Amino acid sequence: MRKKELALEVIKRLKTEYPDSQCTLDYDDAWKLLVSVRLAAQCTDARVNVVVQDLFARYPSIDALAEATPEEIEPLVRPCGLGNSKARDICACMKMLRDKFDSKVPKDFDALLSLPGVGRKSANLVMGDVFGEPAIVTDTHCIRLSNRIGLVDNEKDPKKVEMALRKIIPPEEGNELCHRLVDHGRAVCTARTKPDCEHCCLFDICKQRI
C-alpha cells in the first residue's frame, strides 16, 4: 500500500474509532491556548488544565499577563515543571502580543513563530484549532505512531515529520488526524507500555505488524 493510500485508510479508520477527538487543553480564547501549550511541554494536559485556572483567574487577559513579571507568575506555573523558563516565555509572549499585535493572536503562521516560546507544534495547533486552517501538529504521539504505522520512515525530527505528512494527508484532514493520533497513542499504541496491537483498528495495515 502506497503512503497516500495508507494515510487515507488510517484517517478513515481513526475517524470511526475516535469520532469526537479534539484538543485536550481547555481554552476559550486563542491566547489562552498559547499559554497552555507552552505549559504542556513535559507536562500532562490534565495538569495544565488545573494550573491555568488560577493563572487565568489572576491574569484574565493578554494585557494583564503582559504587565506581570516572570517572578510573579512562576509560583502559579511551577506545578507544570520548568517554571522559570515557562514563566519567562509566557510573559515575553504576552508583551509581544500587546505591543506588536494589538493584544490579538495573529492568524499567520510565521507571525506565531515569531512569538517567544512558540514553535511549529504550538503554531500549528493554534492555526488548526483556533483558525480552522490546515495544520499538522507533530507531538510525540504523532511522531511515534507515524513511524510505527509507516506514514514516515525512521524520522524523528518534528519538522521533517510534518513536511512528510503534509505530502500525503489531505489538508482538511491533518488537524483532526493529529488529535486522533493522540487519542490512539494514549489508549492503544502506547509508548511506555507494550502497544495493544490485538485491539488496534490499524492492526492489519500497520507497518510493524506486516
Side-chain angles (χ1 to χ4, degrees), residues 115-173:
L115 296 169
V118 177
R120 295 188 68 86
K121 182 180 78 170
S122 303
N124 270 301
L125 185 62
V126 171
M127 291 299 292
D129 273 33
V130 175
F131 299 122
E133 297 293 327
I136 298 286
V137 181
T138 49
D139 67 353
T140 56
H141 295 289
C142 177
I143 294 170
R144 183 177 74 257
L145 270 64
S146 294
N147 277 278
R148 285 180 177 176
I149 295 166
L151 297 175
V152 300
D153 298 314
N154 300 316
E155 184 55 73
K156 301 299 175 62
D157 180 83
K159 183 177 180 180
K160 291 181 179 179
V161 172
E162 177 192 335
M163 294 300 108
L165 292 178
R166 285 185 182 275
K167 293 178 181 178
I168 61 173
I169 294 172
E172 69 275 11
E173 299 285 359

Side-chain angles (χ1 to χ4, degrees), residues 93-112:
C93 180
M94 295 301 111
K95 284 180 171 62
M96 190 173 209
L97 287 176
R98 180 194 63 189
D99 298 341
K100 187 174 180 180
F101 297 104
D102 194 28
S103 293
K104 297 181 178 64
V105 175
K107 186 181 177 180
D108 178 84
F109 189 78
D110 290 332
L112 288 169

Side-chain angles (χ1 to χ4, degrees), residues 48-60 65 75-77 79:
V48 171
N49 288 337
V50 173
V51 168
V52 295
Q53 292 179 28
D54 288 341
L55 180 66
F56 295 152
R58 188 172 300 184
Y59 303 103
L65 260 182
L76 295 173
V77 303

